[in-house]
Amino acid sequence: NDLYRNSLLSITGNATDPGSPATSKIKEVHYAVRNLTLGTTWWTGTSWLSQSDTYWVTLTSTPVQYFADGTNVTWSTGAVNFTSGHYYKLLARGKDVPGNITADSNCPVKYFWYDTTVPTTTITNVTSGNVYSSLPSISGQAGDTFNPNAANMKKVEVQISEGANYWSPWTGWTTNNVWYSSSPSQGNIYSAGVWTTSASWSNDKTYTVKYKGHDNSRDETEAENGNVEAENTKTFTYDTQAPISTTTFPAAGPARS
């Protein structure tokens, strides 16, 4: 309950009837979806309807009058048109051949948020194309604030490269393609809306920083595979060598006392 979901292609469940298979079988399954963000708005199977009473959508096994599996069936709905940032309530009940229906007090109920918006990350102390003589760290902001009911940030993932070399907080520069979200010195590089990282820079090198945010929403199987931001990229050059100047005119002459 109260998970943030970024995908829900259908609602599935089980229905059982404790009666004897010879006298009773599951005939129908009813489900209801309420959009709590909009109040008394219910899914009809094809659209949303505003009404105070629960709207039950009926699933039947056609053309047989009851589900062929009898006293223990698995059911699944079609797609529901969920809206990102909204809060939902799910209910289900069964009806057997004699007409007995699950009591309201025994209906399973689940609540969840639906969130398909990606988080946003920025770098605040590096500008693409600039040259830096000192850069102790790269830092920026991260948030999942497209709407007030988003899943919130989980992590910021970073890749720093120079040519065919990639930075690893654990091993230093390597030819392995490295993305990382934590480092030995600070753990998770993201915390409380701010992320920061650093690398070992060399003079006269051009570096590319790629970064993206992940939120805390869950996928179709309720695994923690959240919404992921598209990669952001910034490139900069590191230069610590001081310039050398000489005088060409006037020509050097004999020393004067």
Side-chain angles (χ1 to χ4, degrees):
N1 275 332
D2 286 336
L3 293 178
Y4 284 85
R5 304 292 300 264
N6 57 45
S7 177
L8 190 58
L9 299 179
S10 64
I11 303 166
T12 60
N14 296 314
T16 61
D17 190 340
S20 168
T23 59
S24 181
K25 292 185 177 182
I26 299 294
K27 180 180 180 181
E28 298 173 353
V29 170
H30 307 156
Y31 75 95
V33 184
R34 180 179 176 181
N35 186 329
L36 293 170
T37 302
L38 299 181
T40 53
T41 302
W42 301 88
W43 179 248
T44 66
T46 56
S47 61
W48 292 97
L49 174 68
S50 179
Q51 69 174 40
S52 57
D53 296 334
T54 303
Y55 189 101
W56 293 100
V57 180
T58 299
L59 300 175
T60 60
S61 182
T62 305
V64 184
Q65 70 161 2
Y66 52 79
F67 284 96
D69 292 322
T71 60
N72 192 339
V73 302
T74 298
W75 56 271
S76 178
T77 72
V80 178
N81 185 18
F82 296 112
T83 299
S84 186
H86 287 203
Y87 189 47
Y88 294 93
K89 177 182 181 179
L90 306 179
L91 307 95
R93 68 184 186 185
K95 178 180 179 180
D96 64 15
V97 173
N100 301 303
I101 298 176
T102 308
D104 289 349
S105 59
N106 293 328
C107 290
V109 180
K110 286 195 173 183
Y111 298 85
F112 72 94
W113 294 92
Y114 194 68
D115 177 16
T116 59
T117 59
V118 299
T120 302
T121 57
T122 62
I123 289 179
T124 54
N125 68 332
V126 171
T127 301
S128 275
N130 277 12
V131 180
Y132 296 90
S133 61
S134 176
L135 192 62
S137 66
I138 295 175
S139 60
Q141 297 179 328
D144 194 24
T145 57
F146 181 80
N147 63 65
N149 299 317
N152 296 320
M153 289 295 300
K154 178 181 181 181
K155 65 181 181 180
V156 173
E157 199 172 17
V158 178
Q159 181 192 78
I160 300 176
S161 63
E162 184 278 311
N165 300 308
Y166 299 87
W167 174 252
S168 165
W170 297 271
T171 61
W173 289 101
T174 175
T175 56
N176 296 324
N177 190 330
V178 177
W179 282 88
Y180 64 92
S181 59
S182 62
S183 70
S185 62
Q186 65 188 103
N188 195 333
I189 65 174
Y190 166 79
S191 178
V194 176
W195 67 275
T196 183
T197 189
S198 60
S200 175
W201 317 116
S202 296
N203 179 58
D204 201 27
K205 298 289 187 181
T206 297
Y207 297 94
T208 298
V209 183
K210 295 182 179 181
Y211 54 101
K212 56 188 175 182
H214 298 240
D215 72 13
N216 281 308
S217 61
R218 301 192 179 217
D219 65 12
E220 188 75 19
T221 64
E222 296 191 356
E224 294 181 7
N225 295 317
N227 298 302
V228 181
E229 180 185 20
E231 292 177 11
N232 302 286
T233 303
K234 287 198 175 184
T235 301
F236 68 92
T237 300
Y238 194 70
D239 180 5
T240 58
Q241 183 174 342
I244 300 173
S245 61
T246 61
T247 301
T248 58
F249 183 86
R256 295 178 181 272
S257 57

